[in-house]
Amino acid sequence: MEIWNDDPMLPVYSMGRRNGITTEEAVGILLNPNIDLSKVARATPTSISKNLLFVVDVEAPHVKNVKSLLADDMGAWHGTGTKTFYFKEATKTRPITKVGEALYGLDGVYRCTRSFYRNESDPQLHRTVIHLRGGYLDNLR
């Protein structure tokens, strides 16, 4: 297992990707009941100098909320856009399915927000934060 900066609270979920993760793939990872919890970060990744994928528990004490993911010792990040999608969780007979906003609030339907950022000091640095809300996730609070 790869960890970032020798910090056991920052396991790298995936590395070596040439392209970003699709929204469908992200939702599949986040809703996977068998996710390898040893690969879920419990702190904010900082000073990321390469193309890495982290799955971060935003409820962990060292993170607390999704906005803290931008406090990463890399300078200021400028939001360049947001896309919102809605998904119905998979069943035994149907994979995760994209649905309309009108179904949000129903059991098993999630809102996935994909936010894009560019670093103000180095415009070559990009970050994408994918956040999932709804379904059983909201009931955990």
Side-chain angles (χ1 to χ4, degrees), residues 4 10 20 36 72 80 85 89 91 93 98 119 127 133:
W4 185 249
L10 292 173
D36 182 353
D72 64 356
T80 60
F85 305 92
E89 66 189 351
T91 65
T93 59
K98 197 179 279 190
N119 189 280
R127 166 162 297 165
R133 295 290 309 236

Side-chain angles (χ1 to χ4, degrees), residues 103-115:
L103 295 180
Y104 185 63
L106 296 178
D107 193 36
V109 177
Y110 299 84
R111 178 178 61 223
C112 180
T113 305
R114 190 175 178 114
S115 301

Side-chain angles (χ1 to χ4, degrees), residues 81-137:
T82 301
K83 291 185 179 180
T84 302
F85 305 92
Y86 298 87
F87 291 90
K88 184 154 181 60
E89 66 189 351
T91 65
K92 291 181 181 180
T93 59
R94 175 186 45 75
I96 293 171
T97 308
K98 197 179 279 190
V99 297
E101 179 180 4
L103 295 180
Y104 185 63
L106 296 178
D107 193 36
V109 177
Y110 299 84
R111 178 178 61 223
C112 180
T113 305
R114 190 175 178 114
S115 301
F116 304 93
Y117 300 90
R118 177 170 282 145
N119 189 280
E120 290 186 6
S121 302
D122 183 354
Q124 298 298 320
L125 292 176
H126 299 262
R127 166 162 297 165
T128 303
V129 175
I130 301 172
H131 185 234
L132 197 61
R133 295 290 309 236
Y136 77 90
L137 297 173

Side-chain angles (χ1 to χ4, degrees), residues 37-103:
L37 294 176
S38 71
K39 294 178 89 176
V40 175
R42 296 174 316 280
T44 299
T46 59
S47 302
I48 307 303
S49 58
K50 48 175 120 173
N51 219 8
L52 299 173
L53 170 65
F54 291 91
V55 174
V56 180
D57 178 358
V58 296
E59 297 294 320
H62 295 287
V63 181
K64 296 186 182 168
N65 66 59
V66 72
K67 294 200 185 269
S68 68
L69 296 176
L70 298 178
D72 64 356
D73 296 337
M74 297 287 289
W77 291 92
H78 172 71
T80 60
T82 301
K83 291 185 179 180
T84 302
F85 305 92
Y86 298 87
F87 291 90
K88 184 154 181 60
E89 66 189 351
T91 65
K92 291 181 181 180
T93 59
R94 175 186 45 75
I96 293 171
T97 308
K98 197 179 279 190
V99 297
E101 179 180 4
L103 295 180

